[in-house]
Amino acid sequence: MREGQNARDMNAAHEDDATPPAFRTAVDALRGARLRQEIEIDPTRPPQRLAPYSYALEATVVEPGTDMDDADALADGRLVLLHDPAGHEAWHGTFRLVTLVRAELEPEMAADPLLPDVCWSWLTGALQARGLSYGEPSGTVTRASSHYFGGLGDRPPASQIEIRASWTPREGLGGVPDTAAHLAAWCELLCQVAGLPPVPAGPQGSDGAVVTLPQRRGPQSH
């Protein structure tokens, strides 16, 4: 997923001389974050009306060891950083992270009654594993199945999981949240939804058990 120079210019438009230093610092941390090698990440067009300042990234997860240009996506998503220097009543803060994550699943996985709870726990668990403080989490986990008929009848049934979520990252020194750590947690969610095993979060990692779903099949051609 790549929108090229236009997306980069659109993000840059939110970082002129009037941009608050806290937002600049938060964005710089996102740009400098070190992520898993299975993830390809790029800037994309941010929303224009959700907050005075915004920055957006989109990511794709591919099989480990495959060429990014030739690999099929296992999962994809978008992460948006919002900032309102005056604060936002619903956020209980001046920053907000908003995300959409999607992945194809086997039909039997999609039928698992625990799937929504497990997927939501991957997000909260990834944040907690990095010792991140956050508030006002909200979101939905949606699963959908497609069955093909007629001229498309040779296609196997397809199922998809979609996670929409938002949360308020707690601000640290200088009123800036640790956006790089939040991005790393989000990427871990992407990888888990894609069926890849989790990686330790470092010295702040959780000692609790990791809940996993069965591994997915390889990507299917349509």
Side-chain angles (χ1 to χ4, degrees):
M1 303 186 302
R2 191 186 297 267
E3 295 183 39
Q5 189 62 44
N6 288 339
R8 288 189 287 273
D9 291 346
M10 185 62 68
N11 273 319
H14 289 256
E15 298 175 66
D16 55 25
D17 292 341
T19 302
F23 182 70
R24 287 179 178 270
T25 301
V27 170
D28 286 343
L30 289 176
R31 290 172 171 165
R34 299 182 61 184
L35 307 175
R36 292 179 59 163
Q37 63 180 1
E38 301 94 342
I39 295 176
E40 179 182 14
I41 194 162
D42 292 291
T44 190
R45 183 182 297 272
Q48 302 299 299
R49 299 179 180 178
L50 296 181
Y53 301 93
S54 60
Y55 184 82
L57 294 166
E58 60 184 6
T60 302
V61 182
V62 300
E63 288 280 6
T66 57
D67 190 303
M68 288 286 188
D69 294 330
D70 300 327
D72 291 314
L74 300 178
D76 62 73
R78 176 175 296 198
L79 183 68
V80 180
L81 175 67
L82 304 176
H83 179 53
D84 186 340
H88 195 291
E89 182 178 357
W91 302 352
H92 290 186
T94 62
F95 285 90
R96 188 74 171 172
L97 285 163
V98 181
T99 184
L100 166 65
V101 172
R102 297 171 299 196
E104 298 294 327
L105 301 174
E106 292 186 1
E108 55 268 29
M109 285 182 63
D112 188 333
L114 296 179
L115 179 68
D117 298 279
V118 169
C119 289
W120 185 256
S121 75
W122 283 341
L123 171 60
T124 58
L127 294 169
Q128 294 165 4
R130 286 163 177 76
L132 294 171
S133 179
Y134 64 95
E136 309 306 318
S138 64
T140 61
V141 177
T142 305
R143 48 188 167 185
S145 298
S146 298
H147 296 262
Y148 301 95
F149 302 92
L152 301 177
D154 58 341
R155 295 187 181 185
S159 298
Q160 184 182 71
I161 189 75
E162 180 180 276
I163 303 170
R164 294 180 181 268
S166 62
W167 65 96
T168 298
R170 295 307 184 202
E171 298 159 17
L173 294 176
V176 183
D178 188 351
T179 51
H182 282 269
L183 174 59
W186 177 72
C187 287
E188 191 59 42
L189 166 67
L190 264 176
C191 288
Q192 288 188 281
V193 170
L196 301 183
V199 296
Q204 292 181 321
S206 172
D207 293 328
V210 176
V211 180
T212 61
L213 291 176
Q215 294 297 304
R216 293 161 17 113
R217 287 194 298 259
Q220 299 173 346
S221 60
H222 296 289

